[in-house]
Amino acid sequence: MRGPQGTLFGRSATSGVVNVVTGKPKIDQFEGALDGEYGNYQSFKLKGMLNLPIGDTLAARFAGVYINRDGFTKNLFDNSSIDGRDLYSVRGSLRWEPGADTTVDLMASYFREDDDRLRIQKQLCQTDPTGVLGCLNNRLDASPVNANASLAAIFASTELLAIAGIPTDFALGSLENDPNIYANSVTPSDPRVVNTAFTPEYFTSELIFQGKIEHDFGPISAQISGTYQETKVDSRQDYNLNVGDKSLYNSGLGALAAAGAGLIPGLPAAYFSAAANALNPGGPAGGVYCTSDTDPTGLGAFGGNAICGSEPLQFDRSIQKGSAWSTEAIISSDLEGSFNFLLGGIYAESEVSENSYYVNAFGLDYSSAILGSFGSLVGGLAPSHQGQSFFRNNTDDFKLKSYGLFGEAYFDVSDRLKFTVGVRYNNDKKSVRARSGLLNSGFFIPYSQTGDIYDTPLGASFDGDLSTACTATSPVGAVGSVAGCDAFQSRSVAFDKITGRAVVDYKISDDSLLYVSYSRGYKSGGINPPLQPIFTVNESFRPEQVDAFEVGLKNSFADGALQLNLTGFYYKYKDLQLSRIVARTSVNDNVGADIYGFEAEAIVRPDPDWVINMGFSYLKTKVSEDKFLSNPRDPGGGRSDAVIIKDLQNASNCAVVPTVAGNVAGVNGFVGAVNAGLGLNAPQAFPSDSGIASTGAYGICAVLAGQIAAGGLPYEVLGSGVPVNINGNELPQAPNVKFSIGAQYTANFDNGMSLVPRIDLAYTGNSYGSIFNGNPDRIEGFTQANAQIQLNGPDDRWYVRGFVQNLFDSNSITGQYVTDASSGLYTNIFTLDPRRYGIGAGMKF
């Protein structure tokens, strides 16, 4: 059902609803079905169903599916195949009909997947030789990110350690003078070939129980239903899908090994030996690199929880566990006369007990050790690392309570004219407890720490709620014991809204229906996660509202030989929710938007043996109001008088601009002078084909802002970059056109068998992967073709088929998104599955 929904059943929706109805047990019939399929990539699929009558009023139905295949992606590191599938789903249903007017349905289902699925298929980048951005802004190449733009490289760099007063012998490399660790790596152009030392892991499970009771009270029907659901998703994979040059680390690791052995005067071995043994046992010559595992305690490698091997690793993990339940009651009528109605209500609760996103990297562990060891040594504290040594954005408690009251009234004015009016009341309450941690300043964790990093006696200045003031003056006492230093950020919001719809149906003839509708949709707002570092992002985002207008014509001609449906629509959004990645976290913004277009659908049956289906849609979307956001791909906002700074304190990007536009020499000279005092290079130009008009440099945004304030200078520092107006831009993931056509022919034989060949062709037009609509955001249109041929036995009791999917083996990009500045702004892409072919057979009984 297109457009806003919510006056018939369920929770409210703004864009449409797909209602999946599972097969129900049949009380009067024993039946079953079995289908098997085998194809390339060692693909195997088996599904089946069995229906069992149990007496005169009871029946059970069992169904299941199992899928297993090798991966679509080749890993050059070990010549393996990854991105495979190994999953199954089973469902059991029970139906009881104690009387002619009563039906009771119970259902339980379980789904489980445990394989090496890739969440991110491939990464593309126009490599930035300066390292300030990591990837440039003009195109997407099969080239590696410049890792010198990443947090792991910056925190362990010569430049940062020098500013912090730490001997630069301990650095893993120089941002300005040493090569990118991926400079000599090969990024294959084939989107299904990668180079990763970390084999992906993917696990998900879902348990569902449902029940429904229906009873007819004459012309009034009533039903009560309930659902309980438990879900878990846990996946890990290489963060950069590449293997770097580990030899560049030898100098810094050698210094750490020497300090750990007590060979450097003035550096007590006790402050370095634990780190050396945890991260690089045996020193550089040993060839063993240990990276913290995704450890909920936060101790990672320093608590003995590490992944050790021949390569320093970088990988991420996304995990979520939750449960939900709901109950719904609906009363509907089938009255004689011109009036009927539907009334209902739903109450739902859901809770997420764990929602974490991790980024682990050897360079982050090393930085934690070096910064913590020197910091605790200078501060006279016990030998410590700086916590935590890997990024973790953690929501340990999310709760939603929602209810809705809804109904529709139907008025048959005549045999041809019908009015429908629906209304809904929505009420949603949400609460979130979350925190974000990574190398928090002043948060020291002794190497001897056990249990949890937040049990450290040296971390009172850790603040899980950075938007409130923390008054800690020294790192003494338990976490959260100092006023304003909160262990978590806790927020709650509540929303309510009245929505509804009105429809006029008019039968032009028995074969043509004209309808006009208006509906208002609603999607509740929410709470943005805590950011690290803080940017100018609202803590919460507003509910989304859409006013949708639609006019359509449904036709059936020539006794059903031609069905033709035409639809025109206009959606006006208020506070449309758009997500973007900021400070290693996905946040939501609100923006006004307009969407309009039309759709045409046709089914043609020139004779009983032919079926041809066609579809076409045109879509126009745009932001309808002034909205200023900084484009992460171009923090300079297209200005030649801006200097883009890679901040050595957090690996984010800021921009320095003159208060009077056009002072290019002045702003570059100012940044150059401040950088000289920090031992950093002056700004330099990006390549001519970069799509960046600004210059760029490594620096410290807070120092630049402080110099401006102290001297009253005519410049300003813009936190995440120069805001640009997205008014008029197209919405992301909104193809401008879509077209599809399919045809099949049934050849019937005298022996009761039939042969059915079928082919389908679909074209998806151009779209953008980002609201900024830049060159690298553009997703080119693509075509996909599928074909199959099936031989059916007499009475369709058995069949054999052959199939080909993605007939032309297209590698077209279907979706993409750009990652965070602290990762280097590479673009994650998703493509069509490769060409698949195989045979299948099935039977029914």
Side-chain angles (χ1 to χ4, degrees), residues 507-564:
K507 287 186 177 181
I508 300 173
S509 67
D510 290 341
D511 297 323
S512 296
L513 172 70
L514 174 68
Y515 67 91
V516 179
S517 72
Y518 162 77
S519 55
R520 170 166 288 183
Y522 155 89
K523 182 167 71 175
S524 64
I527 303 164
N528 280 320
L531 299 184
Q532 185 199 39
I534 295 177
F535 287 98
T536 54
V537 174
N538 292 328
E539 286 189 353
S540 62
F541 51 94
R542 297 184 295 276
E544 181 177 291
Q545 176 183 300
V546 57
D547 289 313
F549 304 86
E550 185 174 330
V551 58
L553 186 63
K554 296 185 176 184
N555 305 281
S556 179
F557 301 113
D559 295 325
L562 172 62
Q563 297 179 37
L564 178 63

Side-chain angles (χ1 to χ4, degrees), residues 70-99:
D70 291 345
F72 288 158
T73 300
K74 181 180 179 180
N75 181 11
L76 296 178
F77 181 77
D78 57 8
N79 203 34
S80 64
S81 294
I82 56 177
D83 198 21
R85 299 292 184 271
D86 188 0
L87 57 92
Y88 68 88
S89 179
V90 293
R91 181 174 66 243
S93 306
L94 194 67
R95 168 163 283 190
W96 179 41
E97 295 182 353

Side-chain angles (χ1 to χ4, degrees), residues 268-289:
Y271 280 84
F272 301 92
S273 58
N277 293 332
L279 302 180
N280 189 218
V288 177
Y289 304 84

Side-chain angles (χ1 to χ4, degrees), residues 1-3 5 9 13 15-21:
M1 298 187 292
R2 298 181 181 89
Q5 305 293 330
F9 63 90
S15 300
V17 166
V18 176
N19 190 22
V20 179
V21 181

Side-chain angles (χ1 to χ4, degrees), residues 272-431:
F272 301 92
S273 58
N277 293 332
L279 302 180
N280 189 218
V288 177
Y289 304 84
C290 297
T291 305
S292 286
D293 205 345
T294 46
D295 185 353
T297 72
L299 293 173
F302 305 113
N305 189 4
I307 302 175
C308 299
S310 61
E311 297 292 336
L313 300 177
Q314 62 283 316
F315 57 92
D316 68 357
R317 180 187 186 188
S318 178
I319 180 172
Q320 180 172 310
K321 301 177 185 178
S323 62
W325 66 270
S326 65
T327 183
E328 183 177 62
I330 296 176
I331 298 173
S332 59
S333 71
D334 187 14
L335 303 171
E336 295 183 1
S338 61
F339 172 76
N340 276 285
F341 67 89
L342 178 147
L343 294 174
I346 184 173
Y347 180 82
E349 288 191 12
S350 64
E351 181 174 3
V352 175
S353 58
E354 166 70 354
N355 185 7
S356 286
Y357 179 68
Y358 297 81
V359 178
N360 294 61
F362 179 83
L364 294 178
D365 287 323
Y366 184 83
S367 301
S368 171
I370 298 303
L371 297 176
S373 291
F374 277 97
S376 57
L377 175 61
V378 172
L381 305 175
S384 303
H385 59 100
Q386 187 169 313
Q388 62 188 8
S389 65
F390 48 84
F391 176 71
R392 184 187 183 194
N393 196 311
N394 168 230
T395 297
D396 80 333
D397 185 52
F398 167 83
K399 289 185 175 66
L400 165 68
K401 294 182 178 181
S402 175
Y403 71 87
L405 302 173
F406 52 86
E408 288 194 343
Y410 313 101
F411 303 91
D412 293 319
V413 178
S414 67
D415 291 341
R416 295 188 178 276
L417 183 63
K418 177 182 177 180
F419 291 99
T420 300
V421 178
V423 66
R424 179 186 180 96
Y425 172 73
N426 307 272
N427 188 289
D428 299 285
K429 296 180 180 179
K430 299 179 180 181
S431 62

